[in-house]
Amino acid sequence: MNTLTRTLKEGVPAGKDVEGFSRAMLRYLDDGKNWTAFYASLPVVRRRWGAAKVELAKRCALKAGLPQYGVGGPALEKALRAAGAFDLRANRLLDEYAESIKPTLVEPDQGFASLHQSLWEAYSIGRRGGLSDLGTFNPDSRLPSGRPSDHSVYPAYAFDLGFDPDTGWANEQARRVALALGGRPELEYVILGNRIWTNDGRGWHAYTSGGHFNHVHASGVR
Ligand SMILES: [Zn+2]
C-alpha cells in the first residue's frame, strides 16, 4: 500500500503524487464537474497543488470529519484510502512519484556485492557528497583492539570514504557527509577525525583512537 511521500500544500513543487492525490479527492467527493475539468487539463496542471486543490482538500476533510487544513497529508490520505478513493491509476501515480525521488545508487569500486545491501544508500550519499571510495571489503582490516573489523566480512558491513585535505572534522565536505550519515538507523557508528556518532542515543562525541583524518568510516548494524 502507498503512503504519500510528502505533505501537499500550496507552494510545494508539482508532481505525480499531486495528480494521484487529486484524483482520489475528486473520486471521494464524487464531484463530476471538477472531475471533468481535472481531466480536460494538461498533466502539468493536474500535477500542481494550488488554491483549487486546497479548497478540494478542505471539502474532503469536512466530509471525513477531519480538521480542515487544506493540505494533503497522512490523516486525509488515510480517510481517502479507507473510503476506497485511491484507484489503480492514483496508486500508480504515487508509485511513480516515489520512484522518481529515490536517490540514485552509486556502485562501490569493489562492486555492489562487496557491501551489504543495507548500506548501499548510505554509501551513495557519501559518494554523491563528493567523497571518494577508499574501500568496502578488506579481509585484513582490524579494529584498534585487534579484532576483525566490519570491513573483514563479505559482504562488508563498513565503508570508507576519502577526502582531501586530510583535516578530519575540519574538512567541510567530509563533515557534511558525516552529519548526513550520523542518525541513519541502518548505521552502527560513523567516525570522522576526532569525533564519532554511535547508534546508542549519544549522538556525536569525542573519538580518541585516531586514524580518521583522511576518511569517513561508517559501520552498519549487523
Ligand atoms: Zn573503515
Side-chain angles (χ1 to χ4, degrees):
M1 188 156 96
N2 281 305
T3 50
L4 260 193
T5 43
R6 54 182 169 165
T7 295
L8 305 172
K9 54 187 172 189
E10 218 163 353
V12 298
K16 287 184 175 178
D17 55 339
V18 174
E19 183 178 345
F21 194 73
S22 306
R23 184 182 171 94
M25 288 196 297
L26 288 164
R27 280 169 50 86
Y28 180 59
L29 292 173
D30 198 15
D31 186 334
K33 185 167 150 279
N34 280 320
W35 180 264
T36 307
F38 179 68
Y39 265 87
S41 61
L42 295 167
V44 68
V45 177
R46 292 204 294 266
R47 286 167 194 176
R48 192 172 295 141
W49 189 268
K53 284 171 189 169
V54 167
E55 248 342 283
L56 209 55
K58 284 183 181 167
R59 284 172 55 202
C60 287
L62 180 66
K63 184 175 172 183
L66 296 168
Q68 295 167 62
Y69 299 125
V71 301
L76 185 53
E77 186 193 2
K78 201 174 158 201
L80 297 180
R81 287 200 180 282
F86 280 88
D87 62 353
L88 281 176
R89 171 92 186 124
N91 278 322
R92 194 174 331 124
L93 285 162
L94 293 193
D95 282 346
E96 285 171 11
Y97 173 75
E99 193 62 36
S100 74
I101 60 162
K102 249 192 197 167
T104 319
L105 293 177
V106 180
E107 182 160 23
D109 290 355
Q110 293 168 272
F112 279 119
S114 72
L115 182 65
H116 192 267
Q117 189 171 357
S118 63
L119 302 178
W120 289 358
E121 194 169 324
Y123 170 87
S124 299
I125 287 169
R127 292 297 308 281
R128 289 199 308 270
L131 273 53
S132 66
D133 184 319
L134 285 192
T136 42
F137 173 62
N138 174 4
D140 301 326
S141 177
R142 294 288 176 271
L143 295 169
S145 67
R147 289 171 46 219
S149 89
D150 294 325
H151 290 287
S152 69
V153 291
Y154 195 89
Y157 266 92
F159 55 85
D160 290 327
L161 297 166
F163 54 87
D164 192 34
D166 55 351
T167 48
W169 188 260
N171 184 300
E172 195 187 325
Q173 193 176 34
R175 191 170 65 240
R176 218 177 298 135
V177 166
L179 289 171
L181 297 182
R184 293 183 63 89
E186 77 274 29
L187 297 181
E188 189 68 53
Y189 61 90
V190 180
I191 305 171
L192 170 60
N194 52 13
R195 297 200 194 188
I196 182 170
W197 172 86
T198 47
N199 194 353
D200 56 4
R202 297 167 68 196
W204 285 98
H205 49 279
Y207 180 74
T208 52
S209 297
H212 291 80
F213 287 87
N214 70 341
H215 73 278
V216 174
H217 168 97
S219 269
V221 174
R222 289 164 76 166

